[in-house]
Amino acid sequence: MHKYVILLGKFVDLKKKKKAISRMLDFKVVKELSYIGVKVALRRLVAADFQSMLERALNKLNTWSNKFILLEGRLVLVKSVLLSIPIFLATHSLVPMGVLYEIDKMCRDFIWHKKDGKFALHYVAWIVLCKSKNHGGHGLHSIVSKVGSIRAKFSWNFIVNPKSLLNRSLKAKYGSDIWNAEIKRGCSSTWKIIVNGIMSLRLIVRWDVANGESINALNDVWIIDRSLKRWPTYVAELEGMGYGLNNFISDGLWDEEQLRRYFGKYLVELILQVPINFGLINDRVEMKAKITGKTIAGMISENLADVSGEDKLWNWVRNLKVRPCVHLFWWRLCIDAIPSNAFLSHKRLSNQVSCPKGCGVMEDENHIAAGCFLLILMIKLLNKWSFQVPIFSSFWGCINKLKSLSLNNPFVGNLYCTAVFLSWKSRNKRIHGEKEDGVVYIATNAIYFASVTSLTYIHSGIWDANQLLQLPSDSWHPPPPEWIKVNVDGSLTRSNRAGVGRVQISQRKVFACIWLYGVTLECISGGINGYSFVGKDWMGEARGIIIEGGNYNVIKYLQRSFEGSKAKPKDLLDSHLAFLKDFDQVIFSFCNRNCNKLADLCANYALFNNFIYDDVSSVGIPSSFVSLLKEECDGLP
């Protein structure tokens, strides 16, 4: 068995010569071979040579199609897996465009078609999905449109490394003028790849002027960062004198008379400021941005996005830190790709236009995001619970306010976006014959989801001083009806004596208790579990519980501990957290220090003795505790 093989060129046509070379090198002669996954052959590669790539993509789809994957999950799989499969081969070999189009088609069908493979409506065009997120798309990368940019690195290497063995061989056969090169019959695959990448490379390079002989005055970039073809200014017809920039340079200086003949006044003044590099013999190409930290393909993609001139829509959504499903919902709402009755009627797929909830008005983006009466009832309920959520009259008025909230009060913006999304999900249940969710249920779920994701705003570099740059509120709020709020805090002396304080507040009563513990994180969860002192009567008919504290690390520890224990049976849970299983909803919320004064006071008292207050009128309650409680109650809106 031969370990090495040799592929001889088509000009080595004598069998005796091939046998002699093979015998001398002890290599087996083959007609084609595969090197690091790339097929090398003396013939033109066809679609059948890339069948293994298509089969690999199909195997992925067959595995995923057997599972229920939400739309946002399918988008992630397409972006990170499916569209990454052909990149290496498309970069290093001439993959037929038909194969690349087939990959794109597989991705589109997987995103939009139903689980059983049945056809479904494609709500968003593929070209929109492939735009960057900053420009209204979803950040996918179509391999068909990207093939030139991923090959541009070879074109750049041909320019900056002219003395390499490969580049010297190519120059000897095809010449050094890569900018005006043509792909002729019989060209090598390597040369075709390099020439294919040069058109994309033009977007990120500019010319350093020496004599102007290599520069096209209209098409090439030599003034600042764009070609004259894209400048909104007066340029006369240059066909009569040719397009070479050397026609405007005389004796190493700009020929002003010639410039004024073909260009406008202000453009001439700008051209005269372009330096002519006397240290160069010939014109030289350089990058527009020399230090970017990005690949050449990434720089080209960014340049293409900037050319579109669209507004950067989605920076405010990133600041809100909403859940992926909520982010996708609002993205589709902004580009009118939600299957509302107005949308389906416009596509002639339905005769119904009004809201299915009985609002009696057209169900469009204005109604979904701002006008639905059930949504307004939910927002009023949230405001009654002191969350201060605004009510809007139009969709774009809502968008403008959300942009402002993303900077000033991201929690409220997150809460509103989540509430609209859950309202839409409830509407879909009605459409499909299921029971619609109640207003209170949607509101409590919106609070839970927004509270969980709001923890991503925390800067957790310092242990006991982790405060938000912009906290949701600087005043304490009571829990919603049928909920319980528990504020916790800890205190520590130099002798490592620790105290943990807890204040439980519901709509009916205030309950405070304090313990002494050693200085460990577990003491906080142990402090929360103090309910066992008074039995389970304190729970009543509570729908949920909010664990609130002013230290991020403690709150995050509790959240992770509870999330990690939810999969266990109740009798196997950590004894400190088992009682939380009795609630339908559990929220761990990080709050401003000003919202946690009572728990802080209790933690400091705990350094001296253990005690429980189960009634505000109890004998022995410190006056400072009562005054702080009154201050919080008086500060409520």
Side-chain angles (χ1 to χ4, degrees):
M1 179 178 180
H2 289 271
K3 185 175 181 181
Y4 304 103
V5 296
I6 184 171
L7 180 66
L8 297 174
K10 58 184 178 181
F11 295 105
V12 186
D13 53 354
L14 296 177
K15 291 185 177 180
K16 291 183 179 180
K17 187 182 293 186
K18 292 181 181 180
K19 289 181 179 180
I21 295 174
S22 174
R23 192 181 304 112
M24 180 178 63
L25 299 176
D26 195 25
F27 288 177
K28 180 182 178 181
V29 178
V30 296
K31 293 183 178 180
E32 57 185 47
L33 58 89
S34 181
Y35 178 68
I36 58 173
V38 179
K39 180 168 282 191
V40 182
L42 297 177
R43 58 179 176 80
R44 181 172 176 266
L45 298 179
V46 296
D49 295 309
F50 301 94
Q51 191 62 34
S52 59
M53 181 176 67
L54 293 175
E55 290 176 356
R56 184 181 171 193
L58 284 172
N59 290 336
K60 296 284 186 184
L61 292 175
N62 290 336
T63 301
W64 296 337
S65 62
N66 295 327
K67 302 176 182 179
F68 179 75
I69 304 175
L70 297 176
L71 179 58
E72 55 270 20
R74 295 199 293 271
L75 287 168
V76 171
L77 287 173
V78 165
K79 181 178 180 179
S80 59
V81 182
L82 275 185
L83 289 176
S84 300
I85 290 175
I87 286 181
F88 181 77
L89 282 176
T91 304
H92 296 87
S93 61
L94 295 174
V95 181
M97 294 302 292
V99 175
L100 301 182
Y101 278 115
E102 184 65 25
I103 294 288
D104 278 2
K105 183 178 182 299
M106 289 181 184
C107 295
R108 295 196 301 269
D109 293 346
F110 174 68
I111 290 173
W112 298 113
H113 286 186
K114 297 179 181 179
K115 179 182 176 181
D116 54 3
K118 292 183 179 179
F119 177 81
L121 183 64
H122 291 208
Y123 288 95
V124 184
W126 181 245
I127 191 173
V128 176
L129 284 171
C130 292
K131 289 183 179 180
S132 68
K133 291 185 177 180
N134 282 342
H135 294 83
H138 214 272
L140 303 187
H141 51 269
S142 169
I143 191 61
V144 173
S145 59
K146 197 177 181 180
V147 66
S149 61
I150 60 180
R151 292 172 178 173
K153 63 180 181 180
F154 301 119
S155 306
W156 180 247
N157 181 68
F158 183 84
I159 295 170
V160 298
N161 296 317
K163 295 183 179 181
S164 69
L165 179 60
L166 173 63
N167 293 339
R168 281 187 294 168
S169 302
L170 292 173
K171 285 183 178 181
K173 186 173 182 179
Y174 303 108
S176 58
D177 187 10
I178 188 176
W179 303 101
N180 300 308
E182 296 181 1
I183 299 178
K184 299 180 180 179
R185 184 180 179 87
C187 289
S188 69
S189 298
T190 303
W191 182 248
K192 290 178 181 178
I193 289 172
I194 290 175
V195 174
N196 181 257
I198 200 66
M199 297 304 297
S200 298
L201 189 64
R202 285 181 183 272
L203 299 172
I204 60 171
V205 297
R206 67 185 304 275
W207 284 89
D208 190 0
V209 181
N211 53 32
E213 293 181 358
S214 304
I215 304 174
N216 186 302
L218 279 182
N219 297 325
D220 291 333
V221 178
W222 53 279
I223 306 177
I224 311 179
D225 63 347
R226 65 182 64 185
S227 64
L228 286 178
K229 228 175 186 182
R230 291 170 50 198
W231 278 57
T233 186
Y234 171 73
V235 178
E237 181 60 51
L238 299 178
E239 281 190 9
M241 64 168 298
Y243 293 100
L245 189 63
N246 59 320
N247 293 308
F248 301 99
I249 299 176
S250 178
D251 298 328
L253 298 173
W254 291 110
D255 189 339
E256 291 191 38
E257 182 180 350
Q258 192 79 333
L259 287 172
R260 297 185 190 282
R261 185 178 303 173
Y262 291 93
F263 303 115
K265 175 184 175 182
Y266 297 107
L267 186 56
V268 170
E269 293 177 359
L270 191 60
I271 292 173
L272 292 175
Q273 297 177 18
V274 177
I276 296 178
N277 196 332
F278 297 102
L280 296 177
I281 300 175
N282 297 312
D283 305 313
R284 181 182 63 184
V285 177
E286 61 183 9
M287 288 285 183
K288 292 179 185 177
K290 296 182 180 180
I291 303 175
T292 63
K294 297 181 179 178
T295 63
I296 289 178
M299 294 167 63
I300 293 172
S301 299
E302 188 178 65
N303 187 277
L304 287 171
D306 291 340
V307 168
S308 66
E310 298 178 29
D311 295 331
K312 295 186 176 182
L313 298 175
W314 295 105
N315 288 334
W316 62 273
V317 179
R318 295 177 187 173
N319 293 336
L320 293 179
K321 300 292 183 182
V322 296
R323 295 167 69 92
C325 53
V326 180
H327 179 278
L328 181 62
F329 166 78
W330 278 88
W331 173 70
R332 293 179 64 184
L333 195 61
C334 282
I335 62 175
D336 192 21
I338 290 290
S340 62
N341 283 337
F343 174 87
L344 296 175
S345 176
H346 177 72
K347 296 292 184 181
R348 299 182 180 181
L349 298 174
S350 173
N351 296 324
Q352 179 70 22
V353 178
S354 61
C355 176
K357 296 180 181 180
C359 298
V361 297
M362 183 171 66
E363 187 188 43
D364 55 7
E365 66 273 11
N366 291 306
H367 184 75
I368 295 170
C372 182
F373 80 93
L374 289 178
L375 176 64
I376 295 174
L377 284 178
M378 185 190 349
I379 294 173
K380 289 181 178 179
L381 180 62
L382 290 171
N383 289 331
K384 184 179 179 182
W385 295 347
S386 304
F387 283 101
Q388 302 175 3
V389 181
I391 297 177
F392 304 106
S393 58
S394 68
F395 173 69
W396 288 109
C398 168
I399 294 295
N400 292 330
K401 181 61 177 179
L402 288 174
K403 291 179 181 179
S404 175
L405 288 174
S406 68
L407 300 175
N408 304 320
N409 199 336
F411 175 80
V412 172
N414 187 333
L415 182 59
Y416 186 87
C417 290
T418 305
V420 174
F421 169 70
L422 294 177
S423 175
W424 173 257
K425 286 191 65 177
S426 175
R427 172 262 190 201
N428 289 340
K429 289 183 178 180
R430 175 191 285 259
I431 290 291
H432 295 290
E434 300 177 19
K435 183 179 179 181
E436 190 174 2
D437 298 328
V439 173
V440 176
Y441 178 83
I442 296 175
T444 53
N445 274 277
I447 296 170
Y448 171 73
F449 291 137
S451 299
V452 171
T453 55
S454 67
L455 284 173
T456 58
Y457 289 97
I458 312 305
H459 301 272
S460 56
I462 304 174
W463 167 250
D464 199 33
N466 300 320
Q467 291 293 315
L468 286 171
L469 296 179
Q470 291 287 345
L471 281 171
S473 175
D474 59 357
S475 60
W476 180 84
H477 291 294
E482 301 181 355
W483 278 61
I484 294 172
K485 177 180 280 192
V486 177
N487 285 69
V488 296
D489 206 347
S491 184
L492 181 68
T493 65
R494 292 184 178 180
S495 63
N496 286 339
R497 183 177 176 83
V500 178
R502 172 177 69 84
V503 178
Q504 170 199 318
I505 301 179
S506 66
Q507 294 290 324
R508 294 175 296 177
K509 63 182 297 186
V510 177
F511 176 82
C513 49
I514 296 173
W515 295 268
L516 294 176
Y517 289 94
V519 57
T520 61
L521 274 175
E522 284 76 8
C523 73
I524 305 298
S525 57
I528 293 178
N529 192 34
Y531 300 113
S532 56
F533 283 90
V534 291
K536 288 194 175 182
D537 293 338
W538 63 275
M539 289 176 56
E541 299 297 328
R543 287 176 172 269
I545 182 171
I546 302 172
I547 309 297
E548 190 173 73
N551 187 297
Y552 166 73
N553 292 283
V554 170
I555 295 300
K556 194 65 177 179
Y557 170 82
L558 292 172
Q559 184 187 29
R560 287 174 178 170
S561 299
F562 179 68
E563 292 292 335
S565 63
K566 283 197 300 185
K568 302 177 183 178
K570 185 176 179 181
D571 55 349
L572 296 180
L573 284 179
D574 187 299
S575 59
H576 297 151
L577 300 172
F579 77 98
L580 295 176
K581 293 285 286 185
D582 294 321
F583 292 95
D584 295 332
Q585 298 282 1
V586 180
I587 295 176
F588 296 90
S589 176
F590 173 70
C591 66
N592 193 301
R593 297 284 185 184
N594 293 330
C595 303
N596 211 38
K597 291 180 180 179
L598 277 175
D600 177 67
L601 177 68
C602 292
N604 282 283
Y605 279 130
L607 295 172
F608 305 101
N609 63 302
N610 298 344
F611 58 90
I612 298 175
Y613 305 141
D614 58 358
D615 192 339
V616 179
S617 61
S618 300
V619 179
I621 291 184
S623 58
S624 54
F625 181 90
V626 179
S627 62
L628 275 179
L629 181 62
K630 183 178 184 301
E631 177 185 331
E632 290 184 347
C633 295
D634 292 342
L636 295 178

